[in-house]
Amino acid sequence: MPWNKEMPANPVVAVAGATGVVGREMLKVLEQRDFPASKVKALASARSAGTTLPFKGGELTVEEMTPESFEGVDIALFSAGAGVSRQFRQAVVDAGCVMIDNSSAFRQEKDVPLVVPEVNAHDLAWHSGVIANPNCSTIEMVVPLKALADAAGGIKRIVVSTYQAASGAGMKAMNELYNQTKQFLAGEPLTIEAFSDQIAFNVIPHIDVPVEDDYYKEEWKMVVETKKIFGDDSIEVAPTCVRVPVLRCHAESVNVEFNGPISPEKAKEVLAATEGVTLEDDCANLVYPMPGLKQGTDDVYVGRVRIDRTVENGLAMWFVMDQIRKGAALNAVQIAERLLP
Ligand code: 25A
Ligand code: L14
């Protein structure tokens, strides 16, 4: 059923999973963008109840999340994992609260819009209480590609390899990269818990669980989420997702075959004028974006724009994005902003 509850101008907002890497960033983004909330609640598991998180010069006391937590709440930003999102969905919607969910739980459901505001804000019109925030690697890819697709008659095929930061797997994964690096340098045995393999001084060509045809689920998400966000099932995506020893910010090497012609010069002109994109591209002077240096930024940074002569209408590019911000927290808050009257 389509949602028919009006959004107040000053909604009550809950952050579910507030103590995680993404939840903390959600609080930061709400504060930095001066989101007009009348009240913000920080929710997490019982383990964190009673601890405090900084917010607007003061602090929020973390409450244990229960089905009753959502009474009187207008917008809930969820980033506590897919299982927790499934468990609380009904209670949230029954309370008349819109759920903006960062997990992978509902992204493929027919009545759940999957939204990147720069690309398909129009899909917010038909939500029925739940809006999904896409996978971070997919968001990073579609923001610049939407603008280029519009300029080149659409996209036929994308070949993408990701270079994903440790923080994509949460706080304990970030700590593991840090600690393993120290252990490696001290010649000590490495503690391997958060990842399947050593991450310090290594790269791992595996993210999430195996699905079909020997792909991993992170790769599958990039295929199906790109089609859903663009509203175009004909776009082919061939991804390889790789974990690299970077703390924060995902990078992507992207080769695109467009339906119509577009020169690298034209592409750069379009990208330089695109909201949410910053072009950093000067080959001769070694100017290109790098993930180790983009922490805390909001845009998708694009460099290395050049012709791909192996196909007709081909371009090759390099993208960098802080996946905790635009890939998760910022995109969710931008969706919330679009729900305001
Ligand atoms: O959808 P998926 O595929 O299932 O993936 C979603 C998960 O991936 C992260 C995010 O992890 C999310 O949980 N994620 C998603 N998108 C991301 C992106 N683009 C992304 N990461 C990076 N980029 P997270 O670490 O950011 O957040 C975890 C939060 O969830 C809370 N939580 C867990 N169970 C809950 C719950 N909240 C309410 N009810 C529940 N039942 C969790 O809160 C955290 O806020 P917490 O209180 O459980 O954890 C507080 C502290 O404890 C550490 N911790 C977590 N697990 C353990 C732990 N410590 C010891 N043992 C553990 N098993 C946390 O690091 C935190 O400091
Ligand atoms: O589907 O880098 O949103 O581990 C976000 C974090 C997928 C994995 C999602 C990572 C997850 C990703």
Side-chain angles (χ1 to χ4, degrees):
M1 249 197 310
W3 195 250
N4 56 16
K5 193 175 169 262
E6 249 175 74
M7 185 60 69
N10 300 104
V12 176
V13 176
V15 175
T19 53
V21 189
V22 174
R24 283 167 198 268
E25 200 69 35
M26 284 170 165
L27 292 174
K28 216 183 269 180
V29 174
L30 287 169
E31 175 175 340
Q32 288 169 339
R33 295 175 74 87
D34 222 356
F35 188 87
S38 56
K39 183 180 173 197
V40 174
K41 290 172 84 164
L43 307 173
S45 71
R47 180 171 43 221
S48 297
T51 61
T52 58
L53 294 168
F55 187 67
K56 291 199 167 175
E59 44 189 34
L60 296 174
T61 301
V62 178
E63 299 168 45
E64 177 180 0
M65 183 154 77
T66 67
E68 291 72 47
S69 303
F70 301 96
E71 268 150 44
V73 177
D74 301 296
I75 299 176
L77 306 174
F78 263 75
S79 190
V84 176
S85 292
R86 282 194 197 95
Q87 191 190 328
F88 283 92
R89 174 191 196 159
Q90 200 57 49
V92 175
V93 174
D94 285 350
C97 175
V98 179
M99 179 182 202
I100 301 173
D101 183 39
N102 188 49
S103 85
S104 53
F106 316 122
R107 289 177 187 153
Q108 291 310 313
E109 289 189 11
K110 263 223 301 288
D111 68 342
V112 174
L114 183 65
V115 177
V116 181
E118 293 91 334
V119 180
N120 63 332
H122 54 89
D123 284 327
L124 290 171
W126 51 267
H127 82 83
S128 49
V130 180
I131 299 159
N133 208 46
N135 163 264
C136 39
S137 302
T138 308
I139 295 177
E140 174 166 6
M141 192 166 77
V142 298
V143 172
L145 290 193
K146 163 68 175 161
L148 297 178
D150 287 347
I155 290 170
K156 193 179 277 179
R157 176 171 182 256
I158 303 167
V159 179
V160 54
S161 295
T162 68
Y163 301 64
Q164 297 188 217
S167 53
M171 197 124 53
K172 60 185 182 322
M174 228 169 150
N175 291 337
E176 180 151 307
L177 168 58
Y178 197 76
N179 291 331
Q180 249 182 38
T181 304
K182 290 202 284 193
Q183 290 169 332
F184 187 99
L185 293 175
E188 291 167 7
L190 306 181
T191 310
I192 299 173
E193 279 167 5
F195 294 111
S196 55
D197 301 273
Q198 171 184 335
I199 184 65
F201 301 92
N202 194 20
V203 301
I204 307 172
H206 144 221
I207 294 177
D208 213 335
V209 296
V211 284
E212 54 191 33
D213 294 338
D214 287 346
Y215 278 80
Y216 291 109
K217 193 170 174 193
E218 180 77 348
E219 294 158 346
W220 173 85
K221 289 179 218 167
M222 293 186 79
V223 176
V224 295
E225 293 187 20
T226 299
K227 291 173 193 277
K228 181 165 177 177
I229 295 164
F230 275 107
D232 180 356
D233 266 346
S234 73
I235 299 177
E236 302 286 5
V237 185
T240 303
C241 292
V242 182
R243 186 78 63 190
V244 298
V246 166
L247 281 171
R248 188 161 156 161
C249 298
H250 290 354
E252 298 180 343
S253 160
V254 186
N255 288 57
V256 186
E257 184 179 358
F258 295 94
N259 289 325
I262 182 164
S263 66
E265 294 68 35
K266 174 71 183 170
K268 287 191 219 181
E269 197 185 300
V270 168
L271 291 165
T274 299
E275 184 200 343
V277 172
T278 299
L279 184 69
E280 284 189 355
D281 192 338
D282 183 353
C283 178
N285 290 304
L286 313 187
V287 175
Y288 31 69
M290 289 174 279
L293 310 179
K294 287 291 180 237
Q295 179 160 337
T297 59
D298 285 348
D299 278 5
V300 179
Y301 287 79
V302 179
R304 304 294 325 277
V305 179
R306 61 207 192 277
I307 195 157
D308 173 356
R309 296 186 202 279
T310 66
V311 292
E312 214 183 333
N313 308 320
L315 288 179
M317 289 162 281
W318 172 252
F319 299 164
V320 173
M321 178 197 69
D322 184 330
Q323 94 287 359
I324 305 289
R325 283 184 77 88
K326 181 57 184 169
L330 173 62
N331 197 70
V333 173
Q334 287 171 325
I335 290 172
E337 289 171 348
R338 301 266 179 162
L339 300 179
L340 294 170

